[in-house]
Amino acid sequence: METDAQTLKRKQLKESVLLIVIILVLTTVGIFLLRDHAEKEGKELMEPMDEVSQLHVEEGLKNCVATTENQSKSLVKLNNALQKYKEQHEITFLKLYKYHFTSSTLFLVFSILSALALFLITQEGWKNTSHFIKALFLTCTAMASFFGLSLSTFEQKISIHQNANAYIDYDNLQKKLRNFCATSLTIEGDSISFSKLHSEIMNEAKGLHGFYLEFDTENIDTATIFSLDANNKATGKENKKDKEKEGDQ
């Protein structure tokens, strides 16, 4: 038969497990609610700029002055390409904003709960503190560490700024095209040929093009994890070792 102490420990274990499950369930619900809120907020933030982008695409390059039909078609193609690049960075920006908002909020919540639990523990001492407070402290500390590491490891804040800046830079290139179409001049009011403008915008777009996702290299070895050559070399070394072992046998 179980002693009173064993029964008490079993009861405390069940209560601790139940607390952890409840926290995980509430966290999951919170993640979905926070992401939904952040997504709506992000779309509201981008809505005015999206409306301007539609003007660039639909109205910006109509009835261009001092350009041939082929040149006008080239401007439209270039403008559409810039628009697609903008949309790529907007999608990435919104996704990262959603993850960053969720991680930051939950990190703050669990950090506060962990600090409150720690305060109660310091008042009573670890041995005299109830198992409920201990379980709450350990669980909240673990969750705060998880969301804190996700923020630092994936450098979400840096990636958000990079994609937002790239979006604006592509938008500025579209403004150059629109101004040239309307005036045959640069935004500064200088005369410029079609070929020079086209080449300059292509060159600037080439410098901007990329996937802006940052990682903390101290936590993730990004130098080799995405390197096909490095993976192939590692696989080749393993195969070579296996063959040498078979030869020795």
Side-chain angles (χ1 to χ4, degrees):
M1 294 180 64
E2 290 185 347
T3 63
D4 291 340
Q6 290 174 329
T7 303
L8 180 61
K9 285 184 178 180
R10 184 181 294 273
K11 181 182 178 182
Q12 290 177 347
L13 179 61
K14 288 181 180 179
E15 290 176 351
S16 298
V17 171
L18 180 61
L19 174 64
I20 294 172
V21 171
I22 291 173
I23 290 176
L24 291 176
V25 171
L26 292 176
T27 301
T28 303
V29 173
I31 288 173
F32 282 107
L33 292 176
L34 288 170
R35 285 185 179 179
D36 183 65
H37 173 75
E39 186 174 9
K40 291 178 181 178
E41 191 177 68
K43 288 181 178 179
E44 288 178 3
L45 177 68
M46 298 299 296
E47 186 176 0
M49 299 188 74
D50 287 338
E51 291 176 359
V52 174
S53 291
Q54 285 303 115
L55 290 176
H56 286 320
V57 174
E58 296 173 1
E59 303 293 336
L61 300 181
K62 287 185 177 180
N63 303 319
C64 290
V65 300
T67 57
T68 65
E69 183 178 351
N70 288 333
Q71 288 175 341
S72 295
K73 288 181 179 178
S74 295
L75 289 179
V76 170
K77 289 180 181 178
L78 181 55
N79 185 62
N80 289 338
L82 295 175
Q83 180 65 24
K84 291 298 181 182
Y85 292 143
K86 277 177 63 177
E87 290 173 1
Q88 169 203 323
H89 290 293
E90 180 180 5
I91 291 170
T92 308
F93 166 82
L94 289 174
K95 286 185 178 294
L96 290 171
Y97 176 78
K98 181 170 61 175
Y99 295 143
H100 181 74
F101 179 84
T102 302
S103 297
S104 298
T105 303
L106 290 175
F107 172 71
L108 180 62
V109 169
F110 284 115
S111 295
I112 293 173
L113 291 175
S114 179
L116 291 174
L118 180 61
F119 174 76
L120 295 176
I121 291 172
T122 56
Q123 298 301 308
E124 301 293 334
W126 182 262
K127 290 183 178 180
N128 297 326
T129 302
S130 69
H131 69 283
F132 180 85
I133 299 299
K134 291 178 182 177
L136 180 65
F137 169 72
L138 294 174
T139 305
C140 290
T141 300
M143 297 300 289
S145 299
F146 172 78
F147 288 109
L149 284 172
S150 69
L151 288 171
S152 61
T153 300
F154 296 103
E155 299 286 8
Q156 295 170 353
K157 192 173 182 180
I158 295 175
S159 298
I160 287 171
H161 285 301
Q162 287 177 332
N163 283 281
N165 290 335
Y167 179 96
I168 293 170
D169 289 337
Y170 279 117
D171 187 75
N172 289 334
L173 291 181
Q174 286 183 309
K175 285 184 174 69
K176 285 186 179 181
L177 285 179
R178 188 172 183 178
N179 188 76
F180 177 81
C181 182
T183 65
S184 294
L185 302 173
T186 64
I187 293 178
E188 293 76 20
D190 300 324
S191 60
I192 188 172
S193 65
F194 167 81
S195 58
K196 185 176 181 181
L197 175 80
H198 195 282
S199 298
E200 284 184 359
I201 290 180
M202 287 291 289
N203 188 51
E204 290 184 48
K206 179 183 176 182
L208 291 173
H209 190 51
F211 294 95
Y212 299 138
L213 294 172
E214 294 294 321
F215 299 93
D216 186 350
T217 54
E218 293 183 0
N219 293 330
I220 298 178
D221 186 7
T222 55
T224 58
I225 192 171
F226 298 120
S227 175
L228 183 61
D229 292 337
N231 291 333
N232 288 337
K233 288 179 180 179
T235 305
K237 289 180 180 179
E238 290 177 358
N239 292 335
K240 185 176 180 181
K241 288 181 181 180
D242 292 337
K243 289 180 180 180
E244 290 176 352
K245 289 181 180 178
E246 291 177 358
D248 294 337
Q249 292 177 354

